[in-house]
């Protein structure tokens, strides 16, 4: 099942996508309700007549980094170091990104205030449908309700600077994260699962119609079930949580290509550029970059006298 959240004639709806149509679900039905088996009740509407919104409003967004090729290329681009840190191999590392920054599959994306090095990131995200804690990977499969595309937009200059502090990313990843076009229920993608439990989905990224990256989702180093199990270790995952795969390799973002080529080619994204990401079995999202706000000026840190009570 493909579940859409959309605006039609000024009202927000949740519906089931069938080819070029969307059939609305009863008013108040959430995407997770739909995935659990809610049935359409209203007349079908052409997809061309609606505005697609993010398929869900996530409770939290954990973004992992599970593609070795991406880590290697971006590390070379950001700090000039080669290889992959040994600690990366220990566990599927993630950070929490901003659920309030989520935008729809065809929304415009503003340049983050103060950034001159805007980048995209091609990812797939799993959506949690059942609460769980301290799950095994085998148990975790029943807690994943479906998948969607994630574009983790990245201000590389802000990210590189702030992460020197030993925290982050923060404002480098805080302006936009695309989800869409639909929430595709997990059963729809089972035919793509390989013998090791990975989803063998073709991934393509293009900028202004030119393909810059191609990869397979099955090149991840951990499965979504393993990522979910790790996320639930010592805490809860709950319905509506989103878990991003991390950026794929072979041009899943510009920074990786900059690291491999030793120069900013293709160039950073500018207003007017359109980034289109396609994932086999899920669909396509396409966002155009627009000018953003100027940063509100703040003072530098004050070197305060270290007084004691």
């Amino acid at each position: 099942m493909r579940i859409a959240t959309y605006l039609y004639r000024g009202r927000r709806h949740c519906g089931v996508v069938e080819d070029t149509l969307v059939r609305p679900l009863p008013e108040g039905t959430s995407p997770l309700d739909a995935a659990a088996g809610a049935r359409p009740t209203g007349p079908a509407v052409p997809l061309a007549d609606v505005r697609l919104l993010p398929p869900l409003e996530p409770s939290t967004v954990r973004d992992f980094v599970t593609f070795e090729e991406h880590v290697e290329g971006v590390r070379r681009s950001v700090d000039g170091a080669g290889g992959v840190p040994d600690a990366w191999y220990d566990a599927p590392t993630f950070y929490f990104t901003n659920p309030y920054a989520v935008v729809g599959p065809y929304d415009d994306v503003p340049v983050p205030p103060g950034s001159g090095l805007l980048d995209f990131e091609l990812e797939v995200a799993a959506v949690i449908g059942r609460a769980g804690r301290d799950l095994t990977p085998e148990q975790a499969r029943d807690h994943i309700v479906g998948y969607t595309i994630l574009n983790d937009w990245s201000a590389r200059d802000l990210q590189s600077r702030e992460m020197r502090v030993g925290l982050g990313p923060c404002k480098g990843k805080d302006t936009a994260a695309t989800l869409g076009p639909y929430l595709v229920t997990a059963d729809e993608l089972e035919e793509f699962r390989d013998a090791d439990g990975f989803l063998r989905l073709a991934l393509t990224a293009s900028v202004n119609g030119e393909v810059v990256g191609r990869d397979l989702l099955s090149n991840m180093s951990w499965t979504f079930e393993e990522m979910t199990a790790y996320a639930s270790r010592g805490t809860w995952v709950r319905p509506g949580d989103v878990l991003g795969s991390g950026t794929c390799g072979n041009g899943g973002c510009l920074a990786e290509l900059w690291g491999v080529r030793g120069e900013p080619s293709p160039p950073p994204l500018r207003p007017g550029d359109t980034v289109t990401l396609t994932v086999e079995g899920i669909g396509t999202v396409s966002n155009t970059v627009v000018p953003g706000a100027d940063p509100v000026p703040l003072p530098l840190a004050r070197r305060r006298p270290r007084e004691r009570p």
Side-chain angles (χ1 to χ4, degrees):
M1 186 184 300
R2 295 166 181 265
I3 301 159
T5 301
Y6 60 96
L7 287 179
Y8 179 62
R9 294 181 176 176
R11 297 185 63 183
R12 184 186 183 96
H13 301 271
C14 180
V16 176
V17 176
E18 299 173 356
D19 297 322
T20 60
L21 303 174
V22 58
R23 296 188 179 276
L25 292 155
E27 188 172 350
T29 302
S30 75
L32 299 183
D33 293 335
R39 308 309 304 169
T41 58
V45 175
L47 278 171
D49 292 346
V50 309
R51 176 192 167 198
L52 288 175
L53 303 173
L56 75 158
E57 296 179 352
S59 308
T60 64
V61 182
R62 294 172 175 88
D63 200 9
F64 287 75
V65 55
T66 68
F67 288 85
E68 186 178 29
E69 186 175 12
H70 168 74
V71 176
E72 187 174 14
V74 170
R75 191 181 188 210
R76 188 181 298 118
S77 172
V78 171
D79 60 22
V84 176
D86 291 341
W88 180 82
Y89 297 95
D90 294 341
T93 305
F94 66 89
Y95 75 99
F96 282 96
T97 191
N98 187 357
Y100 305 129
V102 169
V103 300
Y106 304 107
D107 290 345
D108 291 341
V109 170
V111 175
S115 176
L117 290 176
L118 181 60
D119 196 358
F120 68 89
E121 295 199 358
L122 169 52
E123 309 187 25
V124 172
V127 178
I128 300 299
R130 288 176 51 202
R133 181 185 179 99
D134 291 312
L135 301 171
T136 67
E138 292 74 23
Q139 292 169 332
R141 180 168 297 187
D142 291 334
H143 291 257
I144 297 174
V145 71
Y147 300 89
T148 191
I149 299 173
L150 168 63
N151 185 347
D152 178 36
W153 298 85
S154 303
R156 297 300 184 192
D157 43 358
L158 305 183
Q159 177 188 3
S160 177
R161 180 73 178 177
E162 66 198 8
M163 290 185 72
R164 294 178 194 175
V165 179
L167 290 174
C170 52
K171 285 299 173 185
K173 301 271 193 174
D174 208 32
T175 295
T178 301
L179 288 179
Y182 316 118
L183 171 60
V184 178
T185 53
D187 60 295
E188 292 271 334
L189 300 181
E190 277 303 304
E191 65 180 289
F192 297 97
R193 193 177 296 277
D194 67 18
D196 296 318
F198 293 91
L199 297 174
R200 188 181 173 86
L201 305 178
L203 314 173
T204 305
S206 66
V207 178
N208 299 329
E210 180 179 350
V211 173
V212 298
R214 294 184 187 274
D215 202 5
L216 288 171
L217 187 63
S218 51
N219 286 331
M220 296 163 62
S221 291
W222 290 272
T223 66
F224 281 105
E225 291 78 10
E226 290 162 347
M227 293 156 52
T228 301
Y230 186 66
S232 75
R233 184 181 293 179
T235 188
W236 288 91
V237 291
R238 296 192 183 278
D241 288 353
V242 166
L243 281 63
S245 63
T247 309
C248 68
N250 195 39
C253 69
L254 298 178
E256 179 206 327
L257 298 176
W258 301 340
V260 170
R261 297 171 181 176
E263 61 180 13
S265 175
L269 299 171
R270 295 285 186 264
D273 289 340
T274 298
V275 176
T276 303
L277 309 180
T278 299
V279 177
E280 184 179 12
I282 298 180
T284 296
V285 299
S286 188
N287 302 95
T288 297
V289 178
V290 296
D294 292 329
V296 175
L298 294 173
L300 299 178
R302 293 135 171 110
R303 296 183 180 272
R304 303 285 292 164
R306 297 179 182 177
E307 300 179 351
R308 301 289 183 260

